[in-house]
Amino acid sequence: MSGWPILSTITFLPLLGVAFLLLVRGDAATVARNSRLVALWTSIVTFALALVLIGSFDISNPGYQFVENVPWLPEFGISYHLGVDGISLFFVALTTFLTPICIIASWESIQNRVREYMVAFLVMQVLVVGVFCALDFVMFYIFFEGQLIPMFLIIGVWGGERRVYSAFKFFLYTLVGSVLFLIAILYMYLQVGTTDIPTITAHEFTRETQIWLWLALFASFAVKMPMWPFHTWLPDAHVEAPTAGSVILAGILLKMGGYGFIRFSLPMLPEASDFFTPFMFTLSVVAIIYTSLVALMQEDMKKLIAYSSVAHMGIVTLGIFTFTQQGIEGGIFQMLSHGIISAALFLCVGVVYDRVHTRQIAAYGGLVHRMPIYAVVFLVFTLASVGLPSTSGFVGEFLAMVGAFTANTWVATTAMIGIILGAAYMLWLYRRVIFGELTKENLKSITDLNWREIGVFAPLIALALFLGIYPKPVLDVLHASAAHLMTQTQLARVVSPEALELAGQVPKIAATR
């Protein structure tokens, strides 16, 4: 791997596919067919490179690997700086994994402006992978905000009846929060003299400064996740987005907020993170319980799954802010697992929507009589969302709750109520859609999954079960980086030098530094 800029290759290779897409010529049918093929093969090759990246990763090294650092604007301390550690590695892999699935899922459902649709998805992949690889704040912010544009177009052009309203709501919510993030970046640059993320992470800000910077970052990350009560843009965006748009939104884009908390808030601003921990616990528990209750009342399948995503992200933030090894690893694992499970659930909704053209739960019932394969697939991901042991959903929730019980027993106990409610709304959804008598005339001729749809679900099922039965490969990669994050956080959360001297910890901390 020495000398090969593999991160740059993975990040920007989809732009080569975009160039080929712009060169496609012929009649409308030829352009659509070739556009699908070019986008699919580009995304598959990119995913293959991500697998090479995973295979070459040193799990014992907690620092950044495959680093590329080239001066960009050296007079301003800005550089082209890429790198991945155990935390960001799998988010890169998840992005490259879901992109070809989105393209295959859109093979028949998208018939208008196919080339432009594929361009939007490939550009989206470039920007999202860039978020997880960037080690310079200017680059990170460009990627972080740039992904709003293709997602805005995907919702606004190929979405449902209220697509324009939902696209603007999504854009404005996320943009407003990020303005404060930009102000925080400018302040840190003026204080440190560089936008290099590792350098800023090593800088010690005063407690008061940390609190203000933490709030600025929170404004952006809380909307991106989204956390309660900043989640109101999400149900509308999911309902109006095309199926693949919902897949990439739930599977990848929601993870950028949690990634921001892990990458910036905790290691850069540890004292402020400690100060705001009760606040984060409160928002997390409210999100888990409140949005689960709201999900129970939904009549639209997409809205129900959207609210379930808010509840699952509450488990993520709960785990992250326990400041425990299990909690942080559980939060990260939960994000990865949710990226697989929520993507599959939205694909399940898309399957029946393409056949019946409605997402209303009351319009279904008894599908097991006509779609037995679909019923099995839907059951697997319903149980994975519930957190059934042997599925990936269980591992992340279990670790996050172990960390929560270690940090605060009452918070963890209250959060467990939301997990029970999660089982209630998912099993209620499954019962209404799959079981019962097949009485509706338009469902009596509905067809089961075809080979293309089975091919889409097969890798998702395999991953959800493999990570649930044998999570060790992922946890081994996460362990060193999570332990390093814990060290960074705990070193700056000490109470006073006098207390440390009494505990005999000063020499140990000095040696660690």
Side-chain angles (χ1 to χ4, degrees), residues 391-441:
T391 66
S392 60
F394 171 75
V395 179
E397 287 186 4
F398 178 77
L399 289 174
M401 286 302 163
V402 168
F405 270 105
T406 303
N408 190 308
T409 304
W410 287 107
V411 168
T413 303
T414 307
M416 292 295 291
I417 299 173
I419 295 179
I420 297 171
L421 291 173
Y425 63 70
M426 287 306 302
L427 294 175
W428 175 82
L429 170 66
Y430 188 82
R431 176 189 173 279
R432 292 283 301 278
V433 173
I434 301 298
F435 292 138
E437 295 296 325
L438 189 65
T439 57
K440 299 177 176 63
E441 290 298 325

Side-chain angles (χ1 to χ4, degrees), residues 151 155 170 233-234 237-238 244-254:
M151 195 66 219
I155 298 173
F170 158 75
W233 62 269
L234 183 66
H238 271 310
S246 292
V247 169
I248 209 72
L249 180 59
I252 301 297
L253 300 192
L254 300 191

